[in-house]
Amino acid sequence: MTSSERWTRDTADRYDAEETENSSAAVLHPTLDFLAELAGDGRALEFAIGTGRVGVPLRERGVPVVGIELSEHMAAVLRRKIDEDTLPVTIGDMATTIVPGGFALVYLVYNTISNLLTQEEQVECFRNAARHLEPGGRFVIELGLPPLRSLPPGQTAVPFDVSERHLGFDTFDLVEQILVSHHFTRDGDDGRYRRGNSRHRYAWPAELDLMARIAGLERERRVADWDGTPFTQDSTKHISVWRKPT
């Protein structure tokens, strides 16, 4: 078992409703195009497949998809959408769980590698991706960059959403590279707010490249989004691709 926090039943049941923007065609189509091109005629393995926001439509594109998911509750929501024979899912953590066969593509989207709260576990995630990849296969990660440039001296919190129904801010432990995302979400119209938080370990692109080298992978590409926008010092996230040598 890794240090990842498990998603509860209540959180899993709310997840799709709270991620409607990220499930929209405008967001998903570039993601699916990017992943399908890398998979080609091969199979794809999604680490932390969740409720299938990406895996299910990628399978519908004709790419054979297999998933690994730590939370049984998240996997249960996915199972309402697609059967086990069409999209198999193994319950387990993404750093150590092994599924049969080789893959042309292993991918990990939406900041999920940060759910592993130690550097050692993140390295093991890269190693696990490498052991599943066929020669020439690719490992893809989508990860945001922590907004540390927004922190003035002495401040440890940065807001990322201030709206009528939601207040979100991150607090940072700069020594351990841990951020905690805090959420205050308005439920209904009675003025009550639901509070939640989640812990993450952020990692810089250069650190991920070193993890890839440890796992025997070579960086092939890094862009700022699924549309392929060039990655610059002002980018807020990156899509990185590493390749297993032939």
Side-chain angles (χ1 to χ4, degrees), residues 130-150:
R131 70 171 58 100
H132 283 95
L133 286 172
E134 299 169 339
R138 275 93 168 188
F139 182 35
V140 177
I141 283 180
E142 175 188 22
L143 184 61
L145 297 172
L148 300 188
R149 292 165 67 184
S150 299

Side-chain angles (χ1 to χ4, degrees), residues 59-237:
R59 181 65 185 89
E60 292 170 349
R61 287 265 189 119
V63 177
V65 177
V66 176
I68 293 174
E69 172 54 45
L70 182 63
S71 168
E72 295 181 3
H73 302 300
M74 295 288 276
V77 175
L78 178 149
R79 196 52 66 219
R80 300 170 197 164
K81 306 172 184 177
I82 194 166
D83 63 83
E84 174 72 16
D85 290 338
T86 305
L87 201 165
V89 174
T90 297
I91 301 298
D93 69 82
M94 57 188 164
T96 64
T97 301
I98 307 296
V99 299
F103 296 85
L105 173 67
V106 178
Y107 66 95
L108 182 53
V109 298
Y110 205 25
N111 305 321
T112 313
I113 194 170
S114 69
N115 290 359
L116 299 170
L117 299 179
T118 69
Q119 185 184 70
E120 291 79 8
E121 289 172 353
Q122 291 178 353
V123 169
E124 288 306 311
C125 182
F126 273 82
R127 285 178 167 151
N128 200 28
R131 70 171 58 100
H132 283 95
L133 286 172
E134 299 169 339
R138 275 93 168 188
F139 182 35
V140 177
I141 283 180
E142 175 188 22
L143 184 61
L145 297 172
L148 300 188
R149 292 165 67 184
S150 299
L151 283 176
Q155 182 171 312
T156 61
V158 174
F160 59 84
D161 184 34
V162 180
S163 59
E164 182 179 354
R165 306 196 72 86
H166 178 253
L167 169 63
F169 62 93
D170 291 331
T171 54
F172 295 88
D173 179 335
L174 302 181
V175 174
E176 299 297 331
Q177 292 181 212
I178 296 292
L179 71 84
V180 181
S181 288
H182 304 264
H183 301 268
F184 293 85
T185 306
R186 185 175 180 181
D187 285 332
D189 297 319
D190 58 3
R192 291 184 299 176
Y193 280 78
R194 169 171 40 86
R195 179 178 181 178
N197 62 71
S198 59
R199 297 168 66 224
H200 306 269
R201 181 185 187 272
Y202 62 86
W204 301 104
E207 185 182 6
L208 298 180
D209 287 341
L210 183 56
M211 293 180 189
R213 289 181 61 187
I214 292 171
L217 305 176
E218 301 171 347
R219 194 180 92 191
E220 183 177 76
R221 187 182 182 194
R222 173 166 292 132
V223 292
D225 54 37
W226 296 107
D227 290 312
T229 303
F231 180 75
T232 72
Q233 65 179 1
D234 295 319
S235 299
T236 58
K237 73 172 187 178

Side-chain angles (χ1 to χ4, degrees), residues 2-20:
T2 68
S3 59
S4 293
E5 299 171 346
R6 286 180 179 272
W7 293 75
T8 65
R9 183 187 302 275
D10 288 344
T11 303
D13 287 340
R14 291 195 303 265
Y15 184 81
D16 284 347
E18 294 179 347
E19 293 295 334
T20 53

